[in-house]
Amino acid sequence: MNSHQGEMKGDKQMNTSVLEERSKVPATLSARALSQVKNNGALWAFFLLLLINILITPNFLQIQTLYVNLTQVATVAIVAIGMTLVIASGGIDLSVGALMALAGTIAPMIFLSDFAASWPALGLVLAIVVAIAVAGLAGLFNGYLISVYKIQPIIATLILFISGRGIAQVLTNGELQTFDNPSFEFIGTGRILGVPVQAIITIVLALSIAWVIKRSIYGRFLLAVGGNEKAAELAGVPAKKIKMLTYMICGLLAGIAGLISTAINSASDANQTGQLMELDAISAAIVGGVLLTGGKAPILGAVLGAAIIQLVGYTLLANGVHDAVAMVAKAVIIIVAVYLQQVKGAK
């Protein structure tokens, strides 16, 4: 009798434990789902925006709509990649828009010169190389001020934020430079197998730099410097060189974006090219998951963040909402992204 009662008691305990384990399954699944949303918030936001547009935006699924969004997001994404690297190093760069204007001014000056008229192909190559190189050297100047003279990044880059566009305006007398150069314009308006060339350039740059961050010594050093610069230096990391190289890469990418923007418009406008680009790039980088404290460089996340920023603006404008509201929406997105970062950091 006692053994029988013991067996019944044992069975009851086993059944109770089984029920408890089963009740934990939905809770575990919910926790995992919530974790996925937190860790991949940008991706979920992007898919949500796509769904909203499919439902409410006229002609959203047309090829022309896709083409418009791809061409408009490319320059933001390229600059956002550079901004992600800079923020990952523990800094910021306010000069990217001005460097876009500077590169976009220099290139036409070269391929419209008498030399280029005699040697068109060489003149075009020289124009592209020199324009990007100048932007890269300007970025290196930023890095030098920050790493060697220990000037705060926001102050150091503010110098070229003001003077970079000023130089471009002086070079053109503040006037619009129009041109007709199909070879140069191809990088802004051309297509390969139906895909915009600028989108291809963006994808190639993003994948290449993402690989460098993940696989190269530079990538490991960059994250170490951004995570804890003093500790990195004690470990033998050349922090100054890494910072200067990072700002130079950011400048090079800004130069590429400036050429694309100029090619799209078939004109160089020192007053408007890259205007407020630094804000869009910072927004895209933050939404893409870069930590404002440094030490993390989600390159593909920056591209996704740029796509979200672009899609938010397109959604509102396509549905008759004023452009000013789009700017407010971008601000809200940044606030939410920063809040989510703080929530993760608190855990």
Side-chain angles (χ1 to χ4, degrees):
M1 184 72 175
N2 290 336
S3 64
H4 180 65
Q5 288 178 342
E7 289 176 2
M8 290 180 63
K9 186 176 180 181
D11 291 342
K12 184 181 290 186
Q13 289 176 345
M14 183 168 28
N15 291 335
T16 301
S17 63
V18 169
L19 289 173
E20 287 177 352
E21 288 297 325
R22 288 180 178 176
S23 65
K24 289 179 182 178
V25 172
T28 303
L29 292 175
S30 299
R32 287 179 180 175
L34 184 60
S35 176
Q36 285 294 319
V37 171
K38 288 181 179 179
N39 294 330
N40 301 285
L43 190 60
W44 286 107
F46 178 70
F47 285 136
L48 179 61
L49 281 170
L50 287 179
L51 179 60
I52 291 173
N53 276 284
I54 290 171
L55 294 175
I56 69 171
T57 303
N59 306 318
F60 180 73
L61 294 177
Q62 290 185 355
I63 295 297
Q64 184 60 28
T65 300
L66 176 62
Y67 178 78
V68 168
N69 280 288
L70 282 175
T71 54
Q72 291 182 353
V73 77
T75 51
V76 178
I78 291 172
V79 180
I81 292 171
M83 190 66 71
T84 296
L85 296 177
V86 167
I87 295 176
S89 74
I92 200 77
D93 192 344
L94 300 181
S95 69
V96 288
L99 297 188
M100 284 179 64
L102 187 58
T105 296
I106 291 173
M109 291 180 64
I110 295 175
F111 68 66
L112 291 175
S113 66
D114 294 336
F115 170 81
S118 302
W119 306 86
L122 181 59
L124 180 60
V125 172
L126 191 64
I128 293 173
V129 171
V130 170
I132 295 175
V134 169
L137 288 173
L140 182 62
F141 173 74
N142 286 333
Y144 185 79
L145 292 179
I146 292 164
S147 60
V148 176
Y149 289 101
K150 304 298 182 182
I151 299 176
Q152 288 292 327
I154 196 169
I155 301 299
T157 58
L158 188 63
I159 295 171
L160 280 175
F161 170 82
I162 299 169
S163 62
R165 190 175 298 278
I167 293 171
Q169 290 170 335
V170 169
L171 291 174
T172 60
N173 293 319
E175 298 177 356
L176 192 70
Q177 292 184 98
T178 59
F179 53 82
D180 181 16
N181 190 318
S183 298
F184 179 76
E185 292 167 29
F186 182 73
I187 65 174
T189 59
R191 302 189 193 188
I192 297 176
L193 299 176
V195 181
V197 171
Q198 55 184 291
I200 295 174
I201 293 173
T202 304
I203 293 169
V204 170
L205 288 172
L207 294 177
S208 300
I209 295 176
W211 183 90
V212 167
I213 294 300
K214 191 171 183 180
R215 301 292 183 183
S216 72
I217 294 176
Y218 165 73
R220 292 193 291 272
F221 282 180
L222 171 67
L223 300 184
V225 170
N228 190 323
E229 185 175 348
K230 289 185 178 179
E233 287 181 329
L234 290 173
V237 175
K240 291 180 181 179
K241 292 181 180 178
I242 292 297
K243 280 192 172 185
M244 286 192 286
L245 179 58
T246 300
Y247 278 90
M248 185 180 74
I249 293 172
C250 185
L252 292 171
L253 292 173
I256 294 171
L259 295 186
I260 292 174
S261 179
T262 301
I264 291 172
N265 298 315
S266 298
S268 170
D269 187 353
N271 301 308
Q272 296 298 323
T273 300
Q275 193 73 256
L276 299 180
M277 178 59 75
E278 55 281 342
L279 301 183
D280 281 342
I282 293 170
S283 302
I286 293 172
V287 172
V290 70
L291 296 178
L292 294 175
T293 52
K296 183 179 179 182
I299 301 302
L300 300 183
V303 176
L304 183 61
I308 291 172
I309 295 296
Q310 164 59 27
L311 205 50
V312 167
Y314 176 83
T315 302
L316 296 174
L317 292 177
N319 289 279
V321 181
H322 196 275
D323 186 46
V325 179
M327 297 178 68
V328 175
K330 291 178 183 179
V332 172
I333 290 172
I334 296 172
I335 292 171
V336 172
V338 172
Y339 171 75
L340 291 175
Q341 282 191 17
Q342 290 179 338
V343 170
K344 289 180 183 179
K347 294 180 179 180

